[in-house]
Amino acid sequence: MLITCAVAHIATVLTNGKNTVSRKIRDIHLTTAEKIVLMTGLGLMMIGAIIESIAINSL
């Protein structure tokens, strides 16, 4: 959820009816708060994956 909230406005292809606008990844700029939330979300995902792999291996 944190990752989705941090990058909700980011898109490389935007479509509005018949108009389609594409932009490069370099054109995307995140604010400091969005970067912090994104890194927190990725960190929590990594911790969850490690805990899950340990639980699977202990079966």
Side-chain angles (χ1 to χ4, degrees), residues 3-4 7 12 14 18-19 23 26-27 29 31 41 53 55:
I3 296 169
T4 304
V7 295
T12 54
L14 300 170
K18 293 182 180 180
N19 299 330
R23 57 185 182 170
R26 291 183 213 143
D27 297 337
H29 300 287
T31 63
S53 68

Side-chain angles (χ1 to χ4, degrees), residues 26-43:
R26 291 183 213 143
D27 297 337
I28 297 171
H29 300 287
L30 296 175
T31 63
T32 304
E34 290 171 334
K35 289 177 185 177
I36 291 170
V37 171
L38 181 62
M39 295 309 291
T40 303
L42 290 173

